Amino acid sequence: MLNRVRSAVAHLVSSGGAPPPRPKSPDLPNAPLAQTAAPPEAPRSPPARAGSAAPAKTVEARASFSRPTFLQLSPRGLRRADDHAGRAVQSPPDTGRRLPWSTGYAEVINAGKSRHNEDQACCEVVYVEGRRSVSGAPREPSQGQGLCFYYWGLFDGHAGGGAAEMASRLLHRHIREQLKDLVEILQDPSPPPLCLPSTPGAPGSSDSSHLVGPQSCWSSQKEVTHESLVVGAIENAFQFMDEQMARERHGHQVEGGCCALVVVYLLGKVYVANAGDSRAIIVRNGEIIPMSREFTPETERQRLQLLGFLKPELLGGEFTHLEFPRRIQPKELGQRMLYRDQNMTGWAYKKIELEDLRFPLVCGEGKKARVMATIGVTRGLGDHNLKVCSSTLPIKPFLSCFPEVQVYDLTQYEHCPDDVLVLGTDGLWDVTSDWEVAATVDRVLSAYEPNDASRYTALAQALVLGARGIPRDRGWRLPNNKLGSGDDISVFVIPLGGPGSYS
Protein backbone atom coordinates (compact mmCIF):
# COMPACT_ATOMS: atom_id res chain seq x y z
CA MET A 1 0.00 0.00 0.00
CA LEU A 2 2.78 2.41 0.86
CA ASN A 3 4.33 1.90 -2.56
CA ARG A 4 1.03 2.62 -4.25
CA VAL A 5 0.54 5.96 -2.59
CA ARG A 6 4.10 7.19 -2.42
CA SER A 7 4.45 10.68 -3.86
CA ALA A 8 5.22 10.48 -7.55
CA VAL A 9 4.95 13.88 -9.16
CA ALA A 10 5.65 17.20 -7.44
CA HIS A 11 3.72 19.77 -9.49
CA LEU A 12 0.79 18.48 -11.49
CA VAL A 13 -2.50 20.15 -12.21
CA SER A 14 -5.68 19.51 -14.07
CA SER A 15 -9.34 20.21 -14.37
CA GLY A 16 -12.61 18.93 -13.06
CA GLY A 17 -14.20 15.53 -13.00
CA ALA A 18 -16.26 14.12 -15.79
CA PRO A 19 -18.38 17.07 -16.96
CA PRO A 20 -21.55 16.50 -18.98
CA PRO A 21 -21.02 16.33 -22.75
CA ARG A 22 -20.99 19.73 -24.36
CA PRO A 23 -21.32 20.81 -27.98
CA LYS A 24 -18.06 21.15 -29.81
CA SER A 25 -16.99 24.70 -30.62
CA PRO A 26 -17.61 25.12 -34.34
CA ASP A 27 -14.28 26.79 -35.08
CA LEU A 28 -12.09 24.61 -32.87
CA PRO A 29 -9.71 22.85 -32.85
CA ASN A 30 -9.33 23.42 -36.59
CA ALA A 31 -10.03 27.13 -36.43
CA PRO A 32 -7.76 29.62 -38.17
CA LEU A 33 -5.40 31.69 -36.07
CA ALA A 34 -7.03 34.24 -33.79
CA GLN A 35 -8.13 37.33 -35.65
CA THR A 36 -5.85 39.99 -34.35
CA ALA A 37 -6.22 43.70 -34.53
CA ALA A 38 -3.51 45.66 -36.22
CA PRO A 39 -1.88 47.88 -33.61
CA PRO A 40 1.84 48.61 -33.92
CA GLU A 41 2.65 45.79 -31.48
CA ALA A 42 3.63 42.38 -32.76
CA PRO A 43 1.10 39.58 -32.10
CA ARG A 44 2.01 36.03 -31.32
CA SER A 45 2.74 33.71 -34.21
CA PRO A 46 2.85 29.87 -34.25
CA PRO A 47 5.19 28.32 -31.66
CA ALA A 48 8.91 28.44 -32.34
CA ARG A 49 10.73 25.16 -32.82
CA ALA A 50 14.30 24.16 -32.31
CA GLY A 51 15.00 23.50 -35.97
CA SER A 52 13.57 24.37 -39.36
CA ALA A 53 14.20 21.05 -41.09
CA ALA A 54 13.39 18.63 -38.30
CA PRO A 55 11.40 15.54 -39.30
CA ALA A 56 7.77 15.23 -38.27
CA LYS A 57 7.41 14.31 -34.59
CA THR A 58 4.63 14.21 -32.07
CA VAL A 59 3.08 17.41 -30.80
CA GLU A 60 4.53 16.68 -27.37
CA ALA A 61 8.05 16.37 -28.74
CA ARG A 62 7.75 19.64 -30.61
CA ALA A 63 6.23 21.37 -27.60
CA SER A 64 9.24 20.36 -25.52
CA PHE A 65 11.42 22.73 -27.54
CA SER A 66 8.82 25.43 -28.08
CA ARG A 67 9.23 28.89 -26.61
CA PRO A 68 6.92 31.90 -27.02
CA THR A 69 7.44 33.27 -30.52
CA PHE A 70 7.44 36.87 -29.31
CA LEU A 71 10.89 36.07 -27.83
CA GLN A 72 12.12 35.76 -31.44
CA LEU A 73 14.77 33.21 -30.45
CA SER A 74 17.17 31.91 -33.09
CA PRO A 75 18.19 28.21 -33.01
CA ARG A 76 21.26 29.31 -31.04
CA GLY A 77 19.05 31.34 -28.71
CA LEU A 78 16.79 28.34 -28.17
CA ARG A 79 19.76 26.24 -27.12
CA ARG A 80 20.88 28.98 -24.73
CA ALA A 81 17.38 29.22 -23.26
CA ASP A 82 17.43 25.44 -22.75
CA ASP A 83 20.69 25.49 -20.75
CA HIS A 84 20.10 24.42 -17.14
CA ALA A 85 23.62 25.35 -16.07
CA GLY A 86 23.66 28.96 -17.26
CA ARG A 87 19.95 29.67 -16.74
CA ALA A 88 20.07 32.81 -18.88
CA VAL A 89 17.05 35.10 -18.55
CA GLN A 90 15.09 35.47 -21.79
CA SER A 91 13.08 38.55 -22.84
CA PRO A 92 11.73 39.91 -26.13
CA PRO A 93 14.42 41.76 -28.10
CA ASP A 94 14.48 45.53 -27.90
CA THR A 95 13.74 46.02 -31.59
CA GLY A 96 11.09 48.72 -31.36
CA ARG A 97 8.16 46.33 -31.86
CA ARG A 98 6.96 45.81 -28.32
CA LEU A 99 4.25 43.67 -26.81
CA PRO A 100 0.82 45.30 -26.40
CA TRP A 101 0.74 48.02 -23.74
CA SER A 102 4.58 47.87 -23.71
CA THR A 103 4.19 44.77 -21.54
CA GLY A 104 7.37 43.43 -19.98
CA TYR A 105 8.18 39.72 -20.04
CA ALA A 106 11.02 37.56 -18.77
CA GLU A 107 11.57 33.86 -18.19
CA VAL A 108 14.25 31.39 -17.14
CA ILE A 109 14.50 27.62 -17.31
CA ASN A 110 14.56 25.43 -14.22
CA ALA A 111 17.74 24.16 -12.56
CA GLY A 112 17.28 20.59 -13.77
CA LYS A 113 13.82 19.74 -12.46
CA SER A 114 12.66 18.81 -15.98
CA ARG A 115 14.41 18.38 -19.31
CA HIS A 116 12.98 21.56 -20.84
CA ASN A 117 11.21 24.71 -19.73
CA GLU A 118 7.61 23.56 -19.27
CA ASP A 119 6.20 27.08 -18.84
CA GLN A 120 4.54 28.76 -21.81
CA ALA A 121 3.31 32.30 -22.40
CA CYS A 122 1.00 34.07 -24.83
CA CYS A 123 0.28 37.74 -25.52
CA GLU A 124 -2.35 38.59 -28.12
CA VAL A 125 -4.64 41.30 -29.43
CA VAL A 126 -7.78 39.43 -30.51
CA TYR A 127 -10.66 40.71 -32.64
CA VAL A 128 -14.11 39.21 -32.06
CA GLU A 129 -16.77 39.41 -34.75
CA GLY A 130 -20.33 38.81 -33.59
CA ARG A 131 -22.05 35.57 -34.51
CA ARG A 132 -25.57 36.97 -34.78
CA SER A 133 -27.53 40.09 -33.95
CA VAL A 134 -29.71 40.07 -30.85
CA SER A 135 -32.78 40.66 -33.00
CA GLY A 136 -32.14 37.36 -34.76
CA ALA A 137 -31.60 38.91 -38.18
CA PRO A 138 -28.49 37.82 -40.05
CA ARG A 139 -25.71 40.31 -39.45
CA GLU A 140 -24.68 42.30 -42.49
CA PRO A 141 -20.97 42.98 -42.92
CA SER A 142 -21.59 46.69 -42.45
CA GLN A 143 -23.80 46.27 -39.37
CA GLY A 144 -22.22 47.04 -36.03
CA GLN A 145 -18.62 46.55 -35.08
CA GLY A 146 -16.81 43.73 -33.38
CA LEU A 147 -14.86 43.85 -30.16
CA CYS A 148 -11.14 43.79 -29.55
CA PHE A 149 -9.68 42.33 -26.37
CA TYR A 150 -6.12 42.18 -25.07
CA TYR A 151 -4.93 38.86 -23.75
CA TRP A 152 -2.03 37.64 -21.63
CA GLY A 153 -1.55 34.05 -20.50
CA LEU A 154 0.97 32.11 -18.40
CA PHE A 155 0.82 28.31 -18.46
CA ASP A 156 2.89 26.31 -15.97
CA GLY A 157 3.19 22.79 -17.34
CA HIS A 158 4.02 19.58 -15.54
CA ALA A 159 4.75 16.01 -16.65
CA GLY A 160 5.73 17.45 -20.03
CA GLY A 161 5.15 20.68 -21.89
CA GLY A 162 2.37 19.46 -24.19
CA ALA A 163 -0.65 20.76 -22.27
CA ALA A 164 0.93 24.17 -21.62
CA GLU A 165 1.96 24.55 -25.24
CA MET A 166 -1.51 23.60 -26.47
CA ALA A 167 -3.25 25.97 -24.05
CA SER A 168 -0.95 28.83 -25.05
CA ARG A 169 -1.97 28.37 -28.68
CA LEU A 170 -5.69 27.78 -28.26
CA LEU A 171 -7.21 29.15 -25.05
CA HIS A 172 -7.62 32.69 -26.39
CA ARG A 173 -9.41 31.23 -29.43
CA HIS A 174 -11.89 29.53 -27.12
CA ILE A 175 -12.43 32.86 -25.32
CA ARG A 176 -13.01 34.54 -28.66
CA GLU A 177 -15.52 31.84 -29.60
CA GLN A 178 -17.45 32.32 -26.34
CA LEU A 179 -17.56 36.10 -26.83
CA LYS A 180 -19.06 35.92 -30.33
CA ASP A 181 -22.62 35.76 -28.98
CA LEU A 182 -21.95 38.75 -26.74
CA VAL A 183 -20.51 41.32 -29.16
CA GLU A 184 -23.75 43.25 -29.67
CA ILE A 185 -24.98 42.68 -26.11
CA LEU A 186 -21.82 44.07 -24.51
CA GLN A 187 -22.03 47.23 -26.61
CA ASP A 188 -25.67 47.82 -25.63
CA PRO A 189 -26.09 49.53 -22.23
CA SER A 190 -29.48 47.90 -21.63
CA PRO A 191 -29.72 44.70 -19.55
CA PRO A 192 -28.77 41.51 -21.37
CA PRO A 193 -31.66 39.53 -22.91
CA LEU A 194 -32.73 36.47 -20.98
CA CYS A 195 -32.65 34.28 -24.11
CA LEU A 196 -30.85 34.54 -27.42
CA PRO A 197 -32.79 33.92 -30.63
CA SER A 198 -32.52 30.53 -32.27
CA THR A 199 -30.18 30.05 -35.19
CA PRO A 200 -32.05 30.86 -38.45
CA GLY A 201 -33.47 27.68 -39.91
CA ALA A 202 -33.44 25.83 -36.60
CA PRO A 203 -36.67 24.34 -35.18
CA GLY A 204 -38.80 27.05 -33.68
CA SER A 205 -36.76 29.87 -35.21
CA SER A 206 -39.82 31.29 -36.97
CA ASP A 207 -41.76 31.60 -33.72
CA SER A 208 -41.15 35.02 -32.19
CA SER A 209 -42.59 33.93 -28.83
CA HIS A 210 -39.24 32.48 -27.82
CA LEU A 211 -37.65 35.94 -27.77
CA VAL A 212 -37.96 36.53 -24.04
CA GLY A 213 -37.29 39.94 -22.58
CA PRO A 214 -35.52 40.39 -19.26
CA GLN A 215 -38.73 40.98 -17.25
CA SER A 216 -41.31 38.81 -19.04
CA CYS A 217 -41.00 35.48 -17.19
CA TRP A 218 -41.16 36.39 -13.52
CA SER A 219 -42.08 39.41 -11.53
CA SER A 220 -38.67 39.18 -9.90
CA GLN A 221 -35.51 38.19 -11.73
CA LYS A 222 -31.84 38.05 -10.89
CA GLU A 223 -29.83 40.94 -12.22
CA VAL A 224 -27.27 39.83 -14.80
CA THR A 225 -24.50 42.29 -15.62
CA HIS A 226 -22.36 42.56 -18.71
CA GLU A 227 -19.35 41.88 -16.50
CA SER A 228 -20.79 38.54 -15.40
CA LEU A 229 -21.32 37.56 -19.05
CA VAL A 230 -17.61 38.06 -19.75
CA VAL A 231 -16.72 36.07 -16.63
CA GLY A 232 -18.99 33.25 -17.82
CA ALA A 233 -17.42 33.33 -21.28
CA ILE A 234 -13.94 32.93 -19.77
CA GLU A 235 -15.09 30.11 -17.50
CA ASN A 236 -16.69 28.25 -20.42
CA ALA A 237 -13.56 28.77 -22.52
CA PHE A 238 -11.47 27.02 -19.88
CA GLN A 239 -13.85 24.06 -19.87
CA PHE A 240 -13.89 23.82 -23.68
CA MET A 241 -10.09 23.94 -23.67
CA ASP A 242 -9.94 21.10 -21.18
CA GLU A 243 -12.44 19.05 -23.17
CA GLN A 244 -10.38 19.54 -26.30
CA MET A 245 -7.30 18.28 -24.47
CA ALA A 246 -9.29 15.20 -23.41
CA ARG A 247 -10.34 14.51 -27.01
CA GLU A 248 -6.88 14.95 -28.47
CA ARG A 249 -4.69 13.51 -25.74
CA HIS A 250 -4.18 10.22 -27.60
CA GLY A 251 -3.84 11.29 -31.23
CA HIS A 252 -1.58 14.25 -30.44
CA GLN A 253 -0.02 12.84 -27.28
CA VAL A 254 -0.94 15.92 -25.24
CA GLU A 255 0.20 14.48 -21.94
CA GLY A 256 0.50 16.10 -18.55
CA GLY A 257 -1.30 19.23 -17.51
CA CYS A 258 -0.77 22.89 -16.72
CA CYS A 259 -1.78 25.68 -14.40
CA ALA A 260 -3.34 28.58 -16.29
CA LEU A 261 -3.25 32.26 -15.35
CA VAL A 262 -4.98 34.49 -17.90
CA VAL A 263 -5.68 38.23 -18.14
CA VAL A 264 -8.30 39.68 -20.50
CA TYR A 265 -8.76 43.42 -20.97
CA LEU A 266 -12.15 44.25 -22.47
CA LEU A 267 -14.21 47.45 -22.44
CA GLY A 268 -12.32 49.13 -19.63
CA LYS A 269 -12.07 46.16 -17.28
CA VAL A 270 -9.31 43.67 -16.51
CA TYR A 271 -10.40 40.07 -15.94
CA VAL A 272 -7.86 37.86 -14.15
CA ALA A 273 -8.66 34.13 -14.40
CA ASN A 274 -6.59 31.65 -12.42
CA ALA A 275 -6.66 27.86 -12.27
CA GLY A 276 -3.63 26.56 -10.36
CA ASP A 277 -0.85 27.97 -8.21
CA SER A 278 0.35 30.85 -10.39
CA ARG A 279 -0.60 34.27 -9.02
CA ALA A 280 -1.24 37.88 -9.98
CA ILE A 281 -1.06 41.09 -7.96
CA ILE A 282 -1.58 44.76 -8.75
CA VAL A 283 0.94 47.21 -7.32
CA ARG A 284 -0.76 50.62 -7.33
CA ASN A 285 0.84 53.62 -5.65
CA GLY A 286 2.71 51.23 -3.35
CA GLU A 287 -0.49 49.35 -2.41
CA ILE A 288 -0.73 45.61 -3.10
CA ILE A 289 -4.01 44.28 -4.49
CA PRO A 290 -4.16 40.47 -4.83
CA MET A 291 -5.90 39.47 -8.07
CA SER A 292 -5.82 35.70 -7.63
CA ARG A 293 -5.30 32.95 -5.08
CA GLU A 294 -3.60 29.58 -5.21
CA PHE A 295 -5.61 26.39 -5.60
CA THR A 296 -3.84 23.63 -3.70
CA PRO A 297 -4.87 20.56 -1.68
CA GLU A 298 -4.83 22.73 1.44
CA THR A 299 -6.90 25.63 0.08
CA GLU A 300 -9.46 23.28 -1.50
CA ARG A 301 -9.46 20.56 1.17
CA GLN A 302 -13.18 20.81 1.91
CA ARG A 303 -14.19 20.65 -1.77
CA LEU A 304 -12.04 17.56 -2.28
CA GLN A 305 -13.31 15.88 0.88
CA LEU A 306 -16.92 16.59 -0.03
CA LEU A 307 -16.47 14.94 -3.42
CA GLY A 308 -14.84 11.92 -1.77
CA PHE A 309 -17.71 11.73 0.73
CA LEU A 310 -20.43 11.97 -1.92
CA LYS A 311 -18.71 9.61 -4.38
CA PRO A 312 -16.68 7.12 -2.32
CA GLU A 313 -16.13 4.97 -5.43
CA LEU A 314 -13.65 7.63 -6.61
CA LEU A 315 -11.45 6.70 -3.64
CA GLY A 316 -11.15 3.13 -4.90
CA GLY A 317 -11.09 1.61 -1.43
CA GLU A 318 -7.53 2.94 -1.08
CA PHE A 319 -8.15 6.38 0.41
CA THR A 320 -10.28 7.98 3.11
CA HIS A 321 -11.86 11.40 2.70
CA LEU A 322 -11.09 12.21 6.35
CA GLU A 323 -7.98 14.14 7.35
CA PHE A 324 -5.81 13.23 10.34
CA PRO A 325 -2.74 15.05 11.73
CA ARG A 326 -0.60 12.08 10.69
CA ARG A 327 -0.89 8.59 9.25
CA ILE A 328 -2.76 6.24 11.58
CA GLN A 329 -1.04 3.05 12.75
CA PRO A 330 -2.90 -0.30 13.04
CA LYS A 331 -2.09 -0.44 16.76
CA GLU A 332 -4.18 2.74 17.23
CA LEU A 333 -7.47 1.07 16.24
CA GLY A 334 -10.15 1.88 18.79
CA GLN A 335 -8.34 4.94 20.15
CA ARG A 336 -9.74 8.46 19.81
CA MET A 337 -7.71 10.67 17.47
CA LEU A 338 -7.96 14.16 16.05
CA TYR A 339 -9.65 14.41 12.63
CA ARG A 340 -11.67 16.72 10.42
CA ASP A 341 -14.06 16.15 7.55
CA GLN A 342 -15.55 18.16 4.68
CA ASN A 343 -17.73 20.27 6.98
CA MET A 344 -15.05 21.25 9.48
CA THR A 345 -12.48 24.02 9.67
CA GLY A 346 -11.45 23.01 13.18
CA TRP A 347 -10.49 19.63 14.66
CA ALA A 348 -12.32 17.11 16.83
CA TYR A 349 -11.80 13.56 18.17
CA LYS A 350 -13.22 10.36 16.75
CA LYS A 351 -12.82 6.64 17.43
CA ILE A 352 -10.41 5.10 14.91
CA GLU A 353 -12.03 2.41 12.76
CA LEU A 354 -10.58 0.00 10.21
CA GLU A 355 -11.34 2.19 7.16
CA ASP A 356 -9.47 5.08 8.78
CA LEU A 357 -6.23 3.16 8.16
CA ARG A 358 -6.51 4.03 4.48
CA PHE A 359 -4.30 6.79 3.11
CA PRO A 360 -5.90 10.26 3.43
CA LEU A 361 -7.22 11.91 0.28
CA VAL A 362 -5.40 15.12 1.26
CA CYS A 363 -2.05 14.84 3.00
CA GLY A 364 1.02 16.98 3.69
CA GLU A 365 1.50 20.68 4.34
CA GLY A 366 2.53 23.68 2.25
CA LYS A 367 4.33 22.84 -0.98
CA LYS A 368 4.36 19.18 0.09
CA ALA A 369 0.56 18.90 0.26
CA ARG A 370 -0.80 16.35 -2.21
CA VAL A 371 -4.08 14.97 -3.53
CA MET A 372 -4.01 11.16 -3.43
CA ALA A 373 -0.29 11.41 -2.61
CA THR A 374 0.41 12.54 -6.18
CA ILE A 375 -0.44 16.09 -7.26
CA GLY A 376 0.17 19.42 -5.55
CA VAL A 377 -2.43 21.60 -7.32
CA THR A 378 -6.17 21.13 -7.65
CA ARG A 379 -7.14 23.29 -10.66
CA GLY A 380 -5.79 23.58 -14.17
CA LEU A 381 -6.01 22.06 -17.63
CA GLY A 382 -5.20 18.55 -18.83
CA ASP A 383 -3.97 15.63 -16.70
CA HIS A 384 -6.60 13.33 -18.21
CA ASN A 385 -4.22 10.36 -17.97
CA LEU A 386 -3.02 11.05 -14.43
CA LYS A 387 -3.24 8.03 -12.13
CA VAL A 388 -2.24 7.31 -8.54
CA CYS A 389 1.33 6.02 -8.46
CA SER A 390 1.48 2.26 -9.18
CA SER A 391 -2.30 2.19 -9.55
CA THR A 392 -5.05 2.56 -12.15
CA LEU A 393 -7.05 4.91 -9.93
CA PRO A 394 -7.65 8.20 -11.82
CA ILE A 395 -7.08 11.52 -10.07
CA LYS A 396 -8.81 13.67 -12.68
CA PRO A 397 -12.28 13.62 -11.00
CA PHE A 398 -10.84 15.63 -8.10
CA LEU A 399 -9.26 18.30 -10.32
CA SER A 400 -11.22 21.28 -11.61
CA CYS A 401 -10.62 23.14 -14.86
CA PHE A 402 -12.75 26.12 -13.83
CA PRO A 403 -10.82 29.29 -12.95
CA GLU A 404 -11.62 31.86 -10.35
CA VAL A 405 -12.10 35.19 -12.12
CA GLN A 406 -11.47 38.52 -10.43
CA VAL A 407 -12.35 41.83 -12.10
CA TYR A 408 -10.56 45.17 -11.85
CA ASP A 409 -12.17 48.31 -13.33
CA LEU A 410 -9.43 50.48 -14.81
CA THR A 411 -11.81 53.39 -15.29
CA GLN A 412 -12.36 53.82 -11.54
CA TYR A 413 -8.80 54.94 -10.79
CA GLU A 414 -6.29 57.47 -12.03
CA HIS A 415 -3.26 55.32 -12.79
CA CYS A 416 0.32 56.45 -13.13
CA PRO A 417 3.07 54.76 -15.19
CA ASP A 418 4.36 52.99 -12.06
CA ASP A 419 1.08 51.10 -11.47
CA VAL A 420 1.47 47.56 -12.78
CA LEU A 421 -0.17 44.14 -12.84
CA VAL A 422 2.41 41.42 -12.16
CA LEU A 423 1.73 37.84 -13.30
CA GLY A 424 4.06 35.05 -12.23
CA THR A 425 4.23 31.28 -12.22
CA ASP A 426 4.91 29.61 -8.88
CA GLY A 427 8.65 29.71 -9.59
CA LEU A 428 8.47 33.41 -8.67
CA TRP A 429 6.10 33.23 -5.70
CA ASP A 430 7.77 30.23 -4.03
CA VAL A 431 10.69 32.44 -2.98
CA THR A 432 9.30 36.00 -3.34
CA SER A 433 6.63 37.65 -1.20
CA ASP A 434 4.12 40.22 -2.43
CA TRP A 435 5.97 42.94 -0.51
CA GLU A 436 9.30 41.97 -2.05
CA VAL A 437 7.71 42.22 -5.51
CA ALA A 438 6.30 45.65 -4.64
CA ALA A 439 9.72 46.80 -3.41
CA THR A 440 11.31 45.63 -6.66
CA VAL A 441 8.64 47.47 -8.64
CA ASP A 442 9.45 50.71 -6.83
CA ARG A 443 13.23 50.24 -7.06
CA VAL A 444 13.38 49.38 -10.76
CA LEU A 445 10.74 51.73 -12.17
CA SER A 446 12.12 54.71 -10.24
CA ALA A 447 15.41 54.27 -12.14
CA TYR A 448 13.69 54.83 -15.52
CA GLU A 449 11.91 57.76 -17.08
CA PRO A 450 8.11 57.32 -17.00
CA ASN A 451 7.90 57.34 -20.81
CA ASP A 452 10.64 54.72 -21.26
CA ALA A 453 8.73 51.65 -22.45
CA SER A 454 11.68 49.34 -21.75
CA ARG A 455 11.23 49.86 -18.00
CA TYR A 456 8.62 47.08 -17.79
CA THR A 457 10.87 44.52 -19.44
CA ALA A 458 13.65 45.57 -17.05
CA LEU A 459 11.25 45.04 -14.14
CA ALA A 460 10.26 41.57 -15.36
CA GLN A 461 13.94 40.66 -15.70
CA ALA A 462 14.71 41.94 -12.20
CA LEU A 463 11.88 39.86 -10.71
CA VAL A 464 13.08 36.70 -12.48
CA LEU A 465 16.72 37.29 -11.52
CA GLY A 466 15.73 37.99 -7.93
CA ALA A 467 13.84 34.69 -7.68
CA ARG A 468 16.49 32.66 -9.54
CA GLY A 469 19.45 33.85 -7.48
CA ILE A 470 23.09 33.31 -8.42
CA PRO A 471 25.00 30.01 -8.78
CA ARG A 472 27.11 28.94 -5.82
CA ASP A 473 28.68 25.72 -4.63
CA ARG A 474 25.40 24.47 -3.19
CA GLY A 475 23.06 25.51 -5.98
CA TRP A 476 21.30 28.76 -6.84
CA ARG A 477 21.24 31.10 -3.86
CA LEU A 478 19.50 34.36 -2.95
CA PRO A 479 21.38 37.28 -1.35
CA ASN A 480 20.31 35.99 2.09
CA ASN A 481 21.91 32.63 1.17
CA LYS A 482 18.55 30.88 1.07
CA LEU A 483 17.85 28.62 -1.88
CA GLY A 484 16.62 30.40 -4.98
CA SER A 485 13.87 29.01 -7.15
CA GLY A 486 14.92 25.88 -9.03
CA ASP A 487 11.65 25.90 -10.97
CA ASP A 488 10.84 27.46 -14.32
CA ILE A 489 10.06 31.15 -13.75
CA SER A 490 7.88 33.25 -16.07
CA VAL A 491 6.74 36.82 -15.41
CA PHE A 492 4.54 39.35 -17.21
CA VAL A 493 4.54 43.01 -16.11
CA ILE A 494 1.50 44.86 -17.50
CA PRO A 495 1.46 48.66 -17.01
CA LEU A 496 -1.92 50.00 -15.93
CA GLY A 497 -1.16 53.65 -16.52
CA GLY A 498 1.74 53.59 -18.93
CA PRO A 499 2.03 54.44 -22.63
CA GLY A 500 -0.82 53.85 -25.05
CA SER A 501 -4.58 54.19 -24.99
CA TYR A 502 -6.48 51.45 -23.19
CA SER A 503 -9.77 52.03 -24.97
Side-chain angles (χ1 to χ4, degrees), residues 32 53 293:
R293 64 188 180 100

Side-chain angles (χ1 to χ4, degrees), residues 145-176:
Q145 294 184 357
L147 293 173
C148 181
F149 69 86
Y150 291 80
Y151 172 90
W152 299 263
L154 288 181
F155 306 92
D156 184 354
H158 49 260
E165 195 274 338
M166 185 177 186
S168 71
R169 288 188 292 107
L170 297 179
L171 182 55
H172 58 285
R173 301 185 194 178
H174 283 286
I175 295 176
R176 181 192 65 183

Side-chain angles (χ1 to χ4, degrees), residues 22-32 131-132 173-174 176-181 199 240 244 247:
R22 306 192 56 180
K24 187 176 180 179
S25 297
D27 293 346
L28 295 165
N30 298 316
R131 199 190 321 274
R132 62 169 69 90
R173 301 185 194 178
H174 283 286
R176 181 192 65 183
E177 187 67 26
Q178 294 303 306
L179 289 173
K180 283 184 176 181
D181 285 331
T199 304
F240 276 118
Q244 183 177 351
R247 291 192 305 269

Side-chain angles (χ1 to χ4, degrees), residues 303-334:
R303 178 184 73 81
L304 299 170
Q305 288 181 316
L306 178 60
L307 181 57
F309 172 74
L310 295 176
K311 294 188 175 183
E313 65 273 13
L314 297 178
L315 301 175
E318 300 181 25
F319 294 86
T320 173
H321 74 283
L322 300 178
E323 182 184 15
F324 299 93
R326 61 164 172 79
R327 185 74 187 277
I328 298 174
Q329 304 299 317
K331 63 182 180 181
E332 295 171 326
L333 278 171

Side-chain angles (χ1 to χ4, degrees), residues 59-67 114-120 155-169 245 253-258 488:
V59 171
E60 177 66 19
R62 290 196 300 267
S64 298
F65 293 93
S66 169
R67 299 312 313 140
S114 59
R115 181 179 178 186
H116 302 289
N117 189 336
E118 294 179 344
D119 284 1
Q120 286 291 341
F155 306 92
D156 184 354
H158 49 260
E165 195 274 338
M166 185 177 186
S168 71
R169 288 188 292 107
M245 287 182 175
Q253 296 188 6
V254 182
E255 298 177 353
C258 67
D488 302 314

